[in-house]
Amino acid sequence: MKSSRVDSLIIIYVALITLLGAGAVMANEDNKIVHDAEHNILKAQHGERWAKEDAEIDAKLAQIREKNGGKPPNLVYILLDDLGFGEIGMPDLDVIRGYSTPRISKLADEGISLMRMYTEPSCTPTRVAMMTGRYAARTGSSEAKAVVSGDGLADWEVTLAEVLSKAGYATVHMGKWHLGDIEESYAINQGFDYAEHPMHQQGQMAIMNETTEIEGISTGQSRKLRADTFELDKSFRTNPNAMVYGVVGEKGGPMREVNFKAGEVYTQKHYNRMEEGYKQGALKQLERLAKGDKPFFLQYWPQLPLTFTRSDIEQAKTLNGGPIAESLAKVDSWIGEILDKIEALGIAENTVVMVMGDNGPFMQYVDKSGASDRIYRGGKAEHLEGGVRVNAFIRWEGVFEPGSRAQDIVHVADLFTTFARLAGAEEHIPTDRLIDGVDQTPVLLLGETHGRRDYVFVYEGPTLRSIVKQQYKFHLPLPGSNPIAAPIFDLYKNPREDRPQDAIQYGVGFGGNFVAMLKRHMAMKQQYPDRDPGRGLPYGGIENLRPETKALVESMAAWMKPKGK
C-alpha cells in the first residue's frame, strides 16, 4: 500500500512538471527551499526516512553545540585549482603521480573521503556553484574569464558568506576569487567581512607574465619580444601589466590594489610572492578569528599549484619533476601549516576543515606541467568525468568518522546547503529561487548510503552537455537526433567514457528516461529562468588605480554600455 502511494505521488509530480510545465508548481507557500524536480522525485520516495534522519541529526548537532558553549562549528574551506580525481590525498597513487601529498592524505585519514564529488568543469563555475548553491549556468557566471570582462557574480545572488553572516559568523576570504571584475562581484560585496584576493585569476599571473613568455609557455603578449610595426590597433592585445593584480578590502569599504606599482612588469617572482602572502594571510586571519567571540568561515583558495615555469625550481623534490607537481608538494606543506595552526590554537574540535579540487587538470600543458588525466578521461573545461570528478576530504574531529569513505554522489553546490545546516543557518537560505544544492549532512553524520542525490546535470559554460544518474552517464545527442541512439556510459565499467553504448543495449527506454530528466530540468527553468551576470565598468570601487589601469578602463568605457542605461 505504501509503495503504491509513493509511486502515485511520483507519477503525479512528473506529470505536472513534464506536461504542464513548471508553472504547475509555482507557489512556494511554505517558504521552503526550492529544489529541482529530480530531488522532489527522490523526496517522494524517501521523505519519511529522511525526516527521521533529520530529527536524529538535529539532536546530534544540538548536543555538539551545547558541548561547545552554544557555538556552531567554525568552517575552513580550502579549494585547490585544476586538480582532478586521484591527484591528491590518495597515497596508493603516488607511484603513478610521482609525487606525494602527505598532509592532505593525513587529513583524509582523519575525516571522510567523498569519492563521487562532482564539480563544474572550470574555475568560475565551480566557485559560483559552491558560493550560491546553484548551477553556474543559472547565474550567468558560467565561464572562466582570463582578462578584463566587465561582468561577474550579480549582487542579486545570495552567497554562503551572506547566509553565514546573517547567522552571526565572521567571514574571511583569502586567495583566488575569480567571480568577476566589477564592484558588486568583489568578495567584500558578496558577504565577506575581509578579503585579500587577485582581481582576476592565475591565467594572468602564471601564463601572461614575462617569465613564461621567455620560457616559451605563452606568446604574443610581451612587447619586448616582438616588433609592432603593423599593429594598427594597439588595444587588441591585452597588456596584462595594466590589469589589476591583488586587492585588499573590508566589507562596506573600498578596495585597494597592493604590491604592484605603476609601470611595473609582472614576473614569476611576483606570482610566487603573491601566493606566499595569501598563505601567510590565512595563518594570520586564523589567529585573529580564533580570538574572537564569533564562529568563523575562512575560505582559502590558493592559485598554486597552477604554475608552468621551470626557472624558479632550484632543485626538484618530486620524482615527477613537473612545475605543477613541485608546486603541489609546496601547497601540501602550506595546508599542513594551516592544520597545525588550527591545532595550536585549540579550535580543532569545533572546526570543520575541507580540502578539495575545483575541476580536472589543465590539459593544454600536460607532460610539461606534470599534470594529466590520471584515471578519468578529460580535464578542465570538459563535461567528461576527468573534468568534473575531484577528490574531496572533510574533517570534524570527534564528529565525522575518521578514515571513512562515501561513494554517494555529491555536487559542489551541495556545500552551500550542507555548510548552512552545520552552521544552523538554513533559515537564511533564499526561497525565491531554485537551489540546486541539497543538504548532504546525513552523509557526513550518518555515513555512506545516506546521500540525497543520485544525479548531476553537467554543463560546459551555459550549455548542458551530459546527465549523470546513478552509475550511468548520458551524453546529450545533437538537436533532432533520436535519443535512443545517444551514447550512454556505465561509469563502473567504462570510467573513461571511451566506449559508448547506445540506449538499446541498456534496455529500451533508457534514452527516453534521460530525455525525461532533461525535459523536467528545462521545464523548471520556465518558472526559474537563468539569470544574467552583473555587468558594468571593471575595477569600480578600487581607490588607487594605476595610470595604465585607468587608461584600460577608459578604453573599455568608450564601447561599453553603462549598467542600467
Side-chain angles (χ1 to χ4, degrees):
M1 181 68 70
K2 178 180 175 181
S3 176
S4 177
R5 180 165 56 86
V6 169
D7 290 343
S8 297
L9 286 172
I10 296 169
I11 292 169
I12 292 169
Y13 189 83
V14 170
L16 284 171
I17 292 294
T18 307
L19 301 179
L20 301 179
V25 287
M26 284 182 65
N28 186 21
E29 296 175 357
D30 295 331
N31 203 33
K32 293 181 179 179
I33 298 172
V34 180
H35 288 303
D36 67 5
E38 304 312 309
H39 179 74
N40 289 325
I41 288 171
L42 296 180
K43 188 174 181 180
Q45 299 175 62
H46 305 285
E48 291 184 9
R49 175 170 63 85
W50 289 357
K52 292 178 182 178
E53 291 175 354
D54 286 337
E56 179 183 349
I57 289 167
D58 286 343
K60 187 168 186 177
L61 289 174
Q63 184 180 25
I64 295 168
R65 186 170 299 185
E66 183 179 358
K67 177 185 174 183
N68 289 288
K71 194 175 182 180
N74 307 309
L75 302 169
V76 175
Y77 179 61
I78 302 174
L79 185 63
L80 302 177
D81 211 61
D82 295 350
L83 293 174
F85 186 87
E87 297 197 75
I88 56 174
M90 302 178 75
D92 287 346
L93 296 182
D94 289 357
V95 66
I96 297 173
R97 301 182 301 223
Y99 64 84
S100 302
T101 56
R103 293 311 305 266
I104 298 175
S105 296
K106 184 173 184 291
L107 178 72
D109 290 340
E110 296 168 345
I112 304 171
S113 298
L114 299 174
M115 304 302 291
R116 289 195 73 182
M117 170 63 82
Y118 280 86
T119 62
E120 302 281 295
S122 59
C123 313
T124 299
T126 288
R127 286 161 168 74
V128 167
M130 184 271 170
M131 290 301 299
T132 66
R134 289 154 50 80
Y135 289 130
R138 298 195 194 279
T139 71
S141 295
S142 59
E143 299 176 3
K145 306 290 178 64
V147 295
V148 186
S149 62
D151 61 37
L153 188 65
D155 52 14
W156 180 85
E157 299 292 341
V158 175
T159 68
L160 177 61
E162 290 172 314
V163 168
L164 295 176
S165 291
K166 290 179 180 179
Y169 272 68
T171 54
V172 171
H173 177 87
M174 301 293 299
K176 180 172 178 173
W177 179 240
H178 204 187
L179 296 185
D181 57 16
I182 58 174
E183 188 170 3
E184 68 190 84
S185 66
Y186 303 161
I188 60 170
N189 297 323
Q190 291 287 352
F192 287 95
D193 301 326
Y194 178 81
E196 298 180 24
H197 62 80
M199 181 51 57
H200 298 282
Q201 43 93 295
Q202 67 272 56
Q204 177 193 13
M205 267 66 76
I207 299 176
M208 298 166 67
N209 75 55
E210 191 168 88
T211 312
T212 59
E213 192 153 359
I214 289 171
E215 290 194 23
I217 294 163
S218 62
T219 186
Q221 298 294 332
S222 175
R223 294 190 180 277
K224 185 171 76 173
L225 297 177
R226 73 178 192 273
D228 61 359
T229 309
F230 298 103
E231 293 178 15
L232 298 182
D233 182 358
K234 301 299 183 183
S235 68
F236 174 71
R237 305 188 195 209
T238 300
N239 174 14
N241 299 300
M243 295 162 63
V244 170
Y245 282 91
V247 293
V248 176
E250 297 182 8
K251 184 183 290 183
M255 278 287 198
R256 289 188 58 82
E257 186 178 26
V258 294
N259 301 324
F260 202 69
K261 300 177 181 178
E264 201 167 352
V265 175
Y266 200 88
T267 67
Q268 185 70 13
K269 288 183 179 179
H270 288 86
Y271 182 39
N272 291 335
R273 188 164 61 240
M274 174 185 275
E275 285 304 282
E276 178 73 30
Y278 290 138
K279 184 262 294 187
Q280 293 293 347
L283 293 170
K284 181 179 178 181
Q285 289 299 319
L286 263 177
E287 289 188 356
R288 182 184 68 82
L289 292 165
K291 294 175 183 176
D293 296 328
K294 293 183 175 182
F296 64 81
F297 173 45
L298 172 63
Q299 250 183 191
Y300 172 47
W301 294 354
Q303 297 180 106
L304 292 177
L306 198 71
T307 184
F308 304 104
T309 58
R310 295 177 177 274
S311 57
D312 54 328
I313 300 176
E314 295 181 5
Q315 173 60 54
K317 298 179 181 179
T318 69
L319 294 170
N320 182 302
I324 286 181
E326 293 293 312
S327 176
L328 186 51
K330 178 193 295 184
V331 172
D332 180 72
S333 71
W334 288 357
I335 291 172
E337 289 183 51
I338 290 172
L339 295 172
D340 290 343
K341 177 65 72 173
I342 290 171
E343 291 289 342
L345 292 170
I347 58 174
E349 287 190 1
N350 201 34
T351 299
V352 175
V353 181
M354 187 169 194
V355 176
M356 62 178 284
D358 70 342
N359 49 248
F362 204 149
M363 296 296 289
Q364 287 84 344
Y365 294 96
V366 292
D367 298 331
K368 288 183 179 180
S369 70
S372 73
D373 56 340
R374 303 183 193 281
I375 295 176
Y376 298 107
R377 184 168 65 94
K380 184 184 182 80
E382 296 181 286
H383 71 106
L384 299 171
E385 294 290 282
V388 295
R389 287 285 291 275
V390 301
N391 290 110
F393 312 106
I394 185 166
R395 182 192 78 182
W396 188 359
E397 284 191 9
V399 179
F400 299 160
E401 184 181 353
S404 60
R405 304 198 305 175
Q407 298 181 63
D408 308 74
I409 292 178
V410 180
H411 187 268
V412 67
D414 298 344
L415 301 182
F416 174 88
T417 318
T418 303
F419 283 171
R421 174 90 181 271
L422 293 175
E426 308 103 302
E427 65 182 292
H428 304 298
I429 293 175
T431 58
D432 62 343
R433 64 203 66 192
L434 197 149
I435 300 293
D436 296 292
V438 301
D439 176 21
Q440 298 281 21
T441 307
V443 175
L444 304 180
L445 291 179
L446 305 179
E448 188 176 71
T449 74
H450 289 88
R452 295 191 176 178
R453 75 157 66 239
D454 68 350
Y455 65 95
V456 173
F457 292 91
V458 185
Y459 284 80
E460 286 181 2
T463 305
L464 183 61
R465 291 298 310 278
S466 58
I467 303 172
V468 176
K469 178 71 171 179
Q470 298 167 7
Q471 72 198 67
Y472 301 106
K473 188 167 183 179
F474 178 77
H475 289 192
L476 265 65
L478 294 173
S481 301
N482 190 336
I484 202 169
I488 295 179
F489 303 88
D490 184 329
L491 295 174
Y492 289 135
K493 296 182 175 69
N494 183 208
R496 292 186 64 80
E497 298 167 86
D498 55 6
R499 299 186 302 278
Q501 304 291 320
D502 65 52
I504 294 175
Q505 296 190 39
Y506 286 111
V508 176
F510 247 54
N513 291 342
F514 274 110
V515 170
M517 291 181 67
L518 173 62
K519 289 179 177 178
R520 292 191 292 269
H521 185 68
M522 294 305 176
M524 289 291 283
K525 290 193 178 199
Q526 295 177 28
Q527 183 182 353
Y528 299 99
D530 294 346
R531 306 276 300 191
D532 289 330
R535 293 192 176 94
L537 284 175
Y539 306 149
I542 300 175
E543 62 181 10
N544 61 331
L545 293 179
R546 291 172 280 124
E548 56 266 42
T549 309
K550 291 180 180 178
L552 176 60
V553 174
E554 288 170 3
S555 70
M556 293 189 69
W559 60 265
M560 284 187 69
K561 183 179 180 181
K563 183 178 180 181
K565 301 295 183 181

